[in-house]
Amino acid sequence: MYCQNGSPSVGLSEAYDEDQLFSFDFSQNTRVPRLPEFADWAQKSGDTPNIFFDKGFCQAMIQDIGPQLEGKIPVSRGFPVAEVFTLKPLEFGKPNTLVCFVSNLFPPMLTVNWQHHLAPVEGVGPTFVSAIDGLNFQAFSYLNFTPAPSDLFSCIVTHEIDGYTAIAYWVPRNALPADLLENVLCGMAFGLGVLGIIVGLVLIIYFRRPCSGD
């Protein structure tokens, strides 16, 4: 959990092995899964009172101790770095998700906007912020889309505390036609199956050999 004199004023992320699983929406009192695959695990709500206790304690610390640490904690630490990639292998005409990954982020005061051919994109989901080692944070923003050869997307990250803006662009590269990709995957699966059969036969022949006496 983190809190600050900025927006967002408070945040909570839950991670496993430094991989964020959930964030907490304090306006709705619910966990928000970072990926749809985590949705079934986000229903846990029995610890909500503890979360709000920690929120109150964190904000009290900011008010009581924050002024004493003025000038001793860095206001900003470098500039955020953004990069964009697809969540799944790129196939034209098949739904996919663009991921805007923001690193080197401190403090976690940012806004993320998407553009498609320089036009703003509406309906973007929430930005997920999580703490990592040291005074550092990372953020993820997701955009569902159906790739086309002429696409040009940009992820615009604004660091609110200093107004710095990082922009990452995405254009299709090395995309395989859907039919070709399916054939490649089928061929790989067939090859692995044949290899498994050969290895199995070799092991059977090896273990059926009579043991030689001394």
Side-chain angles (χ1 to χ4, degrees):
M1 177 177 288
Y2 66 89
C3 55
Q4 58 188 358
N5 293 322
S7 178
S9 61
V10 63
L12 170 66
S13 64
E14 296 172 299
Y16 176 76
D17 197 19
E18 297 188 0
D19 185 18
Q20 184 185 12
L21 303 179
F22 312 103
S23 63
F24 193 85
D25 185 342
F26 284 93
S27 64
Q28 300 294 326
N29 299 344
T30 58
R31 280 181 171 82
V32 180
R34 184 169 69 86
L35 297 174
E37 291 80 358
F38 304 151
D40 292 341
W41 298 346
Q43 306 304 318
K44 179 183 177 182
S45 59
D47 59 347
T48 301
N50 295 334
I51 291 175
F52 276 87
F53 175 84
D54 292 342
K55 172 189 174 183
F57 179 77
C58 184
Q59 293 176 328
M61 293 284 288
I62 289 289
Q63 295 176 1
D64 297 340
I65 301 180
Q68 303 178 32
L69 298 178
E70 189 75 26
K72 298 180 180 179
I73 297 179
V75 175
S76 181
R77 187 178 183 179
F79 298 114
V81 177
E83 58 180 304
V84 179
F85 51 88
T86 57
L87 191 62
K88 297 182 290 187
L90 179 60
E91 299 179 61
F92 291 133
K94 287 197 172 184
N96 207 324
T97 301
L98 282 177
V99 181
C100 183
F101 172 60
V102 184
S103 58
N104 198 40
L105 178 64
F106 179 84
M109 299 166 58
L110 79 162
T111 57
V112 178
N113 295 292
W114 289 86
Q115 290 184 349
H116 183 224
H117 291 293
L118 304 182
V121 177
E122 304 295 336
V124 180
T127 300
F128 297 92
V129 179
S130 60
I132 53 178
D133 292 339
L135 290 175
N136 221 337
F137 291 80
Q138 62 185 11
F140 294 88
S141 179
Y142 299 88
L143 177 65
N144 295 324
F145 79 122
T146 300
S150 61
D151 277 338
L152 170 61
F153 283 92
S154 54
C155 174
I156 304 172
V157 179
T158 303
H159 201 204
E160 299 293 344
I161 195 167
D162 52 20
Y164 177 81
T165 298
I167 304 177
Y169 296 95
W170 181 87
V171 294
R173 293 180 182 176
N174 302 325
L176 288 175
D179 292 341
L180 176 58
L181 183 60
E182 291 176 359
N183 291 337
V184 170
L185 293 177
C186 288
M188 292 175 60
F190 178 78
L192 290 174
V194 172
L195 179 60
I197 293 173
I198 294 174
V199 171
L201 290 174
V202 171
L203 291 175
I204 291 173
I205 294 172
Y206 177 80
F207 285 111
R208 287 176 64 93
R209 290 189 309 170
C211 296
S212 56
D214 293 335

